[in-house]
Amino acid sequence: MSDYSASPLLLQAEGLKLRFGGIIAADGIDLSLHEGEHLAIIGPNGAGKTTFLNICTGYLRPQGGSVRFENREITAQPPRQITRLGIARAFQIPQLFAEQTVLENMLLAVSVRERHWNPLRNLHAVPERREMEGLLELVGCSDVRDRVASELPEGKRKLADIAIALALKPRVLLMDEPTSGVASADKFDVMETLMNALRQAKVSSVFVEHDMEMVSRYATRVAVWAQGKIQTTGAPEVVLNDPDVVRNVIGG
Amino acid sequence: MSRKSLDAFPDHAVSATAAAEAPWPVRRRHREKYAMNKELLAFIIVAVLLAVVPFTFGTSTTFIAMSLAKGLAVLGILILLRAGQVSFGHAMYFAIGAYAAAFLSSAFRGIDMLLLIGAAILASGVAGAIVGIFVTRYRGIFFGMVNLAFSMVFYSILEKAFHITGGSDGMRIRRPTLLGMELKRAEFDIAIYYVILLFALLSVWLVWRYLRSPMGEALRAVKSNETRLEYVGLSAKSVLLGGYIASAVLCGIGGVFMGMVQGLATPEHAFWTRSSELVFIAALGGPAHVAGAFGGTVVFEAVRTYAAALLDDSWQLILGVTLIVIILWAPGGMVELFRRLTGLDRAKTLTPEAGR
Amino acid sequence: MTPNFAVLALLDGIAYASLLFLVAVGLTLVFGVLGILNIAHGSLYAIGAYVAATLGQWLVANGYNPWLTFPALFAGATVVGIALGGMLERFLLQRIYKKDEVLQLLVTFAVFMILENLQRMIWGVQPYFMSTPLNLLGNISFLGINYTAYQVLFLPAAAIVVLFALRHFLRHTAIGAQILAVTEDREAATSIGINATRVYFMTFVIGACFAALGGALATPTTSLVTGMGANMIVLSFAVAATAGLGQIEGAAVSALMIGVARAFAVYLSPELEVIMPYLIMVLVLLVKPNGLFGKDTARKI
C-alpha cells in the first residue's frame, strides 16, 4: 500500500483528552490524516472511537488537546461550522431526516452546500437534483429514492446516511461502521463502489470498522485504538498481522 | 418559465415543451401538473368567490374580513407547527400589530393604511426577532411555555400602563386613509376588505412556496433530526428563528387588520385565550394544507358567531373538549392526526408535492 | 427604601415564596416523573382556592367554629387534588403518555381551557374573599413591624413542612423509592415489578394536591379572581424552569428568589412587579439553559 505521509496533511488530532466521570474516553489521542488516505480505526467496542469522531466534528469539547483541519484550529467549533469547512460525517446509527424522502434528504443537504436560500424556489427544483439522483444510484439507494426516510429498511438507512454526507462534497468523510447493517452479500459491492467514488472525487476518509476483511482491502492505513489511546498505526498487512493486535483486538 | 405559469395553460399545449424542459419523467410531470392545476383552480375559485362577497353577501363582509385577519395569524402558527413547535403566546404579536397602528394613528391623523401595515410588520418583526433569539434556544414544552409567559407579561403591561396604552379600555384606531383617499365608513369597510383579501391570498401563496423551499423543508428537519441538520451545515436555531420571525410578522399583520376593522386595540388581543384559539384552529384545520388556516378560521368564527347566544359562556370549554376528542379519537387514528398536525400526510401519495 | 420597608418586603416575599413553592413543586414533581408539563396545574391551584373559599364561607355563614376553616383549607385542597387530579390522570393522561410531546402539551392546554371555563361558570367573575384563617391568627410584631402571623409564620411553616415531608417520602419510603426508580428508568423499574401505572397515578395526585393546597392556603391572603389560574401556571412554570424542571429542592430556592425579588419590586417599582419573575427566569436561563440545578440532556450520538 502506498505511503501518503508526503501528501498534504488534512486532519490532525493532537493530544485529545476527554473523560466522563470515571470513564476515560480519550487519553491523549494523536492521529493524522493525509490527503488521499483511507484510514481505518479498529479497536474493541465501546473503546471511545465514536467519541473521537464526536470530538473531531465538534459535537463534544475535549478537555485537552486540539484538532486541526488543513492546518486550521477547529477544536470545539460547532458541527455546522466544521461541516461547512469540508468534513462530513456518516453515523453509527444513521441520522436521517425521518419525515422526508431520501431524495429530499439529499436535496436539503445540497441546498445548504450551495446556499439555496430563495424562499420561493421549490426544493425539488434545485439544479443539483440530477447530481443527487446520480449519487443515490452510486450508493445503491435509487430504488428507495422516494421513500420516506423513517420507512427505510436497516441497510438502506446506512447507505442513505452516507449519501447525505457525500452530497456535501466534503474533503474528508468520517464514517462510523459504514457497512454494519448492510446485508453481507452486498457489503463488498457497497464498499467497492463507495471507495471508488471517494477516490475519484478525491475524498479522504476515516472509518471505524470491525470487519477486518474490509479493513485489509480498503484501508490505506490502520490505527489501533485501545484504552483511550492509539496504540499503533501502520499499513494494514502489518498491523492486522501483529500478534498483539490479533490477540487484543481481532481475536477472542 | 416558472412552473406556475406553465400550469396556467391547458395540458396539451405545454406537454411537449414541458417534456423538453423538465429533467424528470413526463408521466410524473403530468401527474404533478394535474395536482397543481387542481390546487390552482381551487385557489382561483375561492379567490373569485371571496372577491365578490361585498357585492353578493354584503352583510358578511366585515365578518369575513375579521376571519381572514385572524387566519393570517393562524398561518403564522402553522409555520411553527411545521418545525414541530407550538407557541401558546403568539397573540402577543397580534396585539403588537394592533397597538402599533393605534399609536401611529393617534400621533398622525389621517395616516395611510399602508403605513400602518408597514409599522405593524416592523414592530412585530422586531419584537419577534428579540423574543425569538431567546426562545429559539428551546423546544417543545419550554418553547410553548416561555412564549406563553412572554405574552402574559405583555398583556399585564398593556393593562397596567394606563397612561400609555389606555389600560383595559384599549386605544382607538382612527380610520386611516388609503393611497391618499379619505374614505367614508361604508367605502372603508369595502376597501379594507379587499386589502385584507389581497394580503391573505398573497400570504397563502408565499407561505406555501416558503414551506416547499429549502428553508421551509429545513423547518421540518428541525423537528425530525436537529443533529443531522447541524451536520449538513445549518444552524437549527437560525432556521427556527427565521420561521419564528415570519410567524410573528404574520400575526402582526393579522392584528393590524383586525384592529383597523374594529377600530380598536385592546389588551385582550394578547390574552392567552386568543393564543389558544389560534393554536386550536391551526392544529385541526391547518396542517393538511396551508389554505386550511383561512378555511378553518372562517368555520371557527362562523360556529362561534352563530352559537354565541348559546355558547358564549362555555366557548373555551367546547374548544378544549373538541381538541381532546380529536386528539384521542381522530378518525384516522393518532398517527394520521399526528402527521396532519405536523403537516405531512404521506398516506395520500408518494409524489412529493401533490396533496401537500 | 427604609429598613422598615426592606423587612416588610422580605417578609412579604417569603410568604409569597411559600405559596409559589407549593404550586411549583407539584408542577416540577409531575414533570420529573411523568415527563408531562401539566398546563392545567394553574387551574388546579385556582379551583383549590375557590373550593377552600366556598367551604370556609359556608362554615362561617352557618355559625361553625371559625377555627374549622383551617382544616377546611386542607380538606378542600385534598378533595380537589384527589378527585380532580385523580380523574385527570386516570381518564385522560394515561392515554397520552405515549404520544408526541406537542400532542401532550395540546391536551393539557385543552384541559386548562376547560377547567378555566368551568371555574368561571361555577364561581362567576366577582371576587371571592375568605380571610377568616388570616384574621384568626392575628398579627405579630417582627423587628418593630406588624405583620400577619398567617403570612409570616403559617405559610412558610407549611412550605417547609411540605418540602421536608416530600424529601422524606421520596428518600425513605418504599413508594418514594418506586417513584424515584420510575423517574430514573421506567423500563428497568417495570421489569423489576414496579407498577409504573400506579406510580404515575400517585405522583400526579400528589402534585395536584400540592397545587390545590397552594391555592387553598393563598385564599385568606387575597381576593380570588378569574385569571388567577392562568397567572399561576406561568408563574409556577417560571419558578420550576428557573430551578430546572424536575428539581424539587431547587424549586424552593428559586421560589425564594422570585418571591423576594417580586416583593421588592412591588415596593420599589410597581410596574416591574409583573415582569420580575420572568426577568429572573430569562436571566437564569441565559446563563444556565437547564435551570440553576438542571442537568444537561443526554447526547444522542
Side-chain angles (χ1 to χ4, degrees):
Chain A
M1 285 275 169
S2 11
D3 176 19
Y4 290 87
S5 51
S7 60
L9 185 58
L10 274 186
L11 190 60
Q12 187 182 24
E14 254 185 335
L16 290 179
K17 285 194 181 21
L18 183 59
R19 52 189 311 158
F20 303 110
I23 304 172
I24 301 176
D27 194 19
I29 309 288
D30 291 307
L31 198 58
S32 43
L33 181 75
H34 295 258
E35 194 172 314
E37 284 197 296
H38 296 283
L39 175 65
I41 302 183
I42 64 175
N45 252 330
K49 307 192 286 296
T50 303
T51 307
F52 170 66
L53 295 182
N54 282 345
I55 298 176
C56 285
T57 53
Y59 193 75
L60 287 177
R61 177 178 290 236
Q63 286 152 349
S66 69
V67 185
R68 305 177 79 83
F69 177 65
E70 294 180 330
N71 229 356
R72 264 175 68 172
E73 176 88 30
I74 62 168
T75 326
Q77 277 185 23
R80 65 174 174 275
Q81 254 175 284
I82 292 181
T83 305
R84 291 235 190 201
L85 287 175
I87 302 178
R89 182 156 176 204
F91 299 82
Q92 192 174 14
I93 302 170
Q95 297 297 318
L96 311 171
F97 300 125
E99 300 177 352
Q100 284 149 305
T101 66
V102 174
L103 181 59
E104 284 167 351
N105 271 252
M106 307 284 290
L107 293 175
L108 192 47
V110 80
S111 296
V112 179
R113 182 188 94 196
E114 299 293 324
R115 295 169 153 80
H116 290 314
W117 297 142
N118 183 352
L120 296 181
R121 168 193 242 159
N122 193 306
L123 180 71
H124 288 261
V126 299
E128 294 81 20
R129 186 184 164 129
R130 266 274 170 73
E131 181 195 329
M132 294 301 106
E133 290 174 346
L135 205 44
L136 284 177
E137 178 114 27
L138 190 73
V139 300
C141 279
S142 283
D143 51 339
V144 293
R145 192 188 65 179
D146 293 319
R147 286 267 286 268
V148 172
S150 57
E151 292 164 11
L152 289 177
E154 186 58 43
K156 297 286 182 180
R157 295 174 65 80
K158 236 0 199 323
L159 297 173
D161 194 42
I162 294 176
I164 295 175
L166 287 177
L168 298 169
K169 274 215 189 112
R171 303 249 356 243
V172 175
L173 178 61
L174 305 178
M175 294 181 280
D176 206 339
E177 299 182 38
T179 58
S180 82
V182 177
S184 307
D186 301 326
K187 277 195 202 225
F188 272 112
D189 289 328
V190 168
M191 261 322 244
E192 187 75 33
T193 325
L194 188 59
M195 284 303 175
N196 279 334
L198 291 185
R199 273 179 233 128
Q200 256 187 2
K202 298 209 180 14
V203 177
S204 319
S205 76
V206 177
F207 58 105
V208 173
E209 187 55 82
H210 288 296
D211 186 331
M212 295 308 153
E213 273 204 71
M214 295 291 155
V215 174
S216 65
R217 262 172 93 116
Y218 297 110
T220 58
R221 192 156 59 100
V222 179
V224 181
W225 181 291
Q227 280 129 22
K229 281 203 198 9
I230 302 285
Q231 306 284 6
T232 353
T233 65
E237 57 270 15
V238 171
V239 172
L240 293 179
N241 291 317
D242 183 325
D244 288 320
V245 174
V246 170
R247 197 177 349 113
N248 296 322
V249 177
I250 305 172
Chain B
M1 224 191 325
S2 78
R3 291 180 58 206
K4 220 170 152 39
S5 63
L6 267 180
D7 296 327
F9 298 113
D11 276 9
H12 59 268
V14 264
S15 55
T17 352
E21 285 184 23
W24 48 96
V26 177
R27 188 164 44 91
R28 187 150 155 264
R29 181 97 170 108
H30 271 176
R31 237 194 301 148
E32 282 174 5
K33 227 181 337 110
Y34 178 65
M36 289 274 293
N37 265 345
K38 266 206 312 188
E39 277 186 354
L40 188 64
L41 196 62
F43 186 75
I44 293 178
I45 291 178
V46 171
V48 166
L49 280 179
L50 285 174
V52 300
V53 159
F55 305 108
T56 52
F57 303 101
T59 44
S60 307
T61 306
T62 304
F63 168 77
I64 296 193
M66 293 201 295
S67 301
L68 290 178
K70 199 156 172 173
L72 280 168
V74 173
L75 201 56
I77 302 284
L78 271 189
I79 294 179
L80 288 176
L81 266 185
R82 185 57 66 98
Q85 308 305 320
V86 183
S87 162
F88 291 117
H90 259 49
M92 162 171 62
Y93 300 109
F94 198 79
I96 288 178
Y99 273 89
F103 282 121
L104 266 189
S105 75
S106 63
F108 303 101
R109 290 191 166 243
I111 191 174
D112 197 287
M113 181 192 299
L114 298 177
L115 281 179
L116 290 185
I117 298 173
I121 293 178
L122 192 64
S124 52
V126 168
I130 295 176
V131 174
I133 288 180
F134 178 69
V135 145
T136 52
R137 292 171 133 208
Y138 301 102
R139 307 283 183 271
I141 295 167
F142 254 81
F143 184 86
M145 294 301 292
V146 173
N147 272 294
L148 177 63
F150 270 103
S151 78
M152 288 303 288
V153 170
F154 189 65
Y155 168 79
S156 299
I157 294 176
L158 287 177
E159 235 201 348
K160 298 211 168 160
F162 180 81
H163 39 284
I164 308 177
T165 63
S168 44
D169 291 331
M171 284 175 76
R172 262 195 71 193
I173 300 179
R174 300 179 189 284
R175 200 180 317 144
T177 58
L178 178 60
L179 298 175
M181 301 179 290
E182 264 206 35
L183 301 166
K184 292 199 272 285
R185 182 73 222 217
E187 298 168 338
F188 177 77
D189 285 344
I190 295 184
I192 197 173
Y193 175 83
Y194 282 111
V195 174
I196 295 179
L197 181 60
L198 196 66
F199 265 83
L201 293 173
L202 194 66
S203 57
V204 166
W205 183 74
L206 280 174
V207 171
W208 190 76
R209 294 292 293 251
Y210 165 64
L211 291 180
R212 278 164 181 65
S213 74
M215 277 301 262
E217 296 281 352
L219 270 181
R220 234 193 252 263
V222 168
K223 170 159 183 51
S224 61
N225 200 327
E226 276 196 45
T227 308
R228 206 3 138 180
L229 195 57
E230 297 275 333
Y231 271 97
V232 299
L234 258 190
S235 154
K237 184 176 185 293
S238 306
V239 171
L240 188 58
L241 181 62
Y244 190 85
I245 295 176
S247 70
V249 167
L250 281 168
C251 284
I253 298 177
V256 74
F257 280 140
M258 184 68 92
M260 288 195 289
V261 169
Q262 294 179 326
L264 187 63
T266 70
E268 284 297 315
H269 281 142
F271 202 55
W272 70 267
T273 46
R274 290 301 172 96
S275 297
S276 76
E277 290 179 351
L278 299 178
V279 169
F280 179 85
I281 301 171
L284 271 79
H289 196 285
V290 159
F294 294 96
T297 314
V298 172
V299 170
F300 179 89
E301 290 295 314
V303 171
R304 188 174 38 173
T305 313
Y306 292 117
L310 297 164
L311 303 172
D312 211 25
D313 254 358
S314 23
W315 188 235
Q316 294 289 311
L317 180 71
I318 293 169
L319 285 190
V321 169
T322 311
L323 192 56
I324 290 178
V325 164
I326 301 269
I327 290 180
L328 291 186
W329 293 292
M334 174 199 102
V335 172
E336 196 230 320
L337 175 80
F338 174 68
R339 284 183 162 168
R340 274 180 20 221
L341 205 68
T342 49
L344 37 86
D345 197 353
R346 289 291 164 183
K348 280 193 187 150
T349 171
L350 284 179
T351 317
E353 289 115 277
R356 283 208 295 181
Chain C
M1 175 179 249
T2 67
N4 268 359
F5 270 126
V7 174
L8 255 176
L10 190 63
L11 294 179
D12 206 5
I14 293 178
Y16 189 64
S18 309
L19 292 171
L20 277 184
F21 169 71
L22 284 174
V23 185
V25 82
L27 185 71
T28 217
L29 177 69
V30 167
F31 180 80
V33 179
L34 283 69
I36 291 189
L37 191 91
N38 179 20
I39 300 181
H41 200 73
S43 309
L44 292 169
Y45 163 83
I47 292 180
Y50 275 105
V51 166
T54 308
L55 210 52
Q57 285 180 350
W58 183 85
L59 285 173
V60 169
N62 286 301
Y64 287 92
N65 185 336
W67 286 97
L68 284 178
T69 53
F70 269 99
L73 294 178
F74 289 93
T78 316
V79 164
V80 169
I82 294 180
L84 211 49
M87 283 201 301
L88 263 177
E89 202 280 339
R90 175 72 185 79
F91 296 116
L92 190 57
L93 293 188
Q94 271 188 15
R95 295 177 206 262
I96 65 168
Y97 287 137
K98 293 206 168 58
K99 287 190 191 279
D100 185 74
E101 196 178 68
V102 170
L103 291 182
Q104 290 179 340
L105 262 185
L106 286 178
V107 167
T108 63
F109 193 71
V111 175
F112 171 60
M113 285 160 56
I114 294 173
L115 290 180
E116 285 293 294
N117 204 156
L118 280 177
Q119 170 217 303
R120 208 173 56 237
M121 286 165 81
I122 298 176
W123 283 282
V125 296
Q126 75 275 30
Y128 265 69
F129 301 92
M130 207 284 288
S131 53
T132 316
L134 186 92
N135 298 332
L136 283 177
L137 285 186
N139 289 349
I140 65 163
S141 203
F142 192 78
L143 296 182
I145 305 167
N146 270 339
Y147 212 71
T148 63
Y150 185 87
Q151 284 168 299
V152 157
L153 295 178
F154 184 67
L155 285 182
I160 292 175
V161 165
V162 162
L163 175 61
F164 282 97
L166 190 58
R167 264 177 65 130
H168 176 88
F169 174 72
L170 287 175
R171 292 184 193 188
H172 303 293
T173 67
I175 305 179
Q178 292 190 3
I179 291 179
L180 288 178
V182 168
T183 314
E184 192 67 43
D185 188 337
R186 183 186 177 150
E187 308 241 329
T190 326
S191 66
I192 63 171
I194 295 179
N195 186 344
T197 313
R198 207 178 51 171
V199 165
Y200 279 11
F201 179 80
M202 288 202 57
T203 310
F204 191 80
V205 168
I206 293 175
C209 285
F210 284 156
L213 186 63
L217 294 187
T219 304
T221 70
T222 180
S223 63
L224 309 184
V225 293
T226 43
M228 61 189 282
N231 227 22
M232 188 42 89
I233 182 58
V234 279
L235 257 178
S236 55
F237 173 76
V239 171
T242 305
L245 289 178
Q247 302 296 322
I248 293 176
E249 282 98 336
V253 173
S254 68
L256 211 52
M257 270 172 64
I258 289 179
V260 171
R262 180 190 158 277
F264 272 90
V266 168
Y267 285 99
L268 286 174
S269 156
E271 302 87 43
L272 281 189
E273 178 224 333
V274 166
I275 308 181
M276 195 51 86
Y278 308 104
L279 196 60
I280 294 185
M281 178 184 80
V282 167
L283 288 176
V284 168
L285 291 182
L286 276 175
V287 174
K288 303 206 78 188
N290 285 314
L292 284 173
F293 309 99
K295 305 186 182 83
D296 264 325
T297 41
R299 277 183 304 135
K300 286 154 276 177
I301 57 175

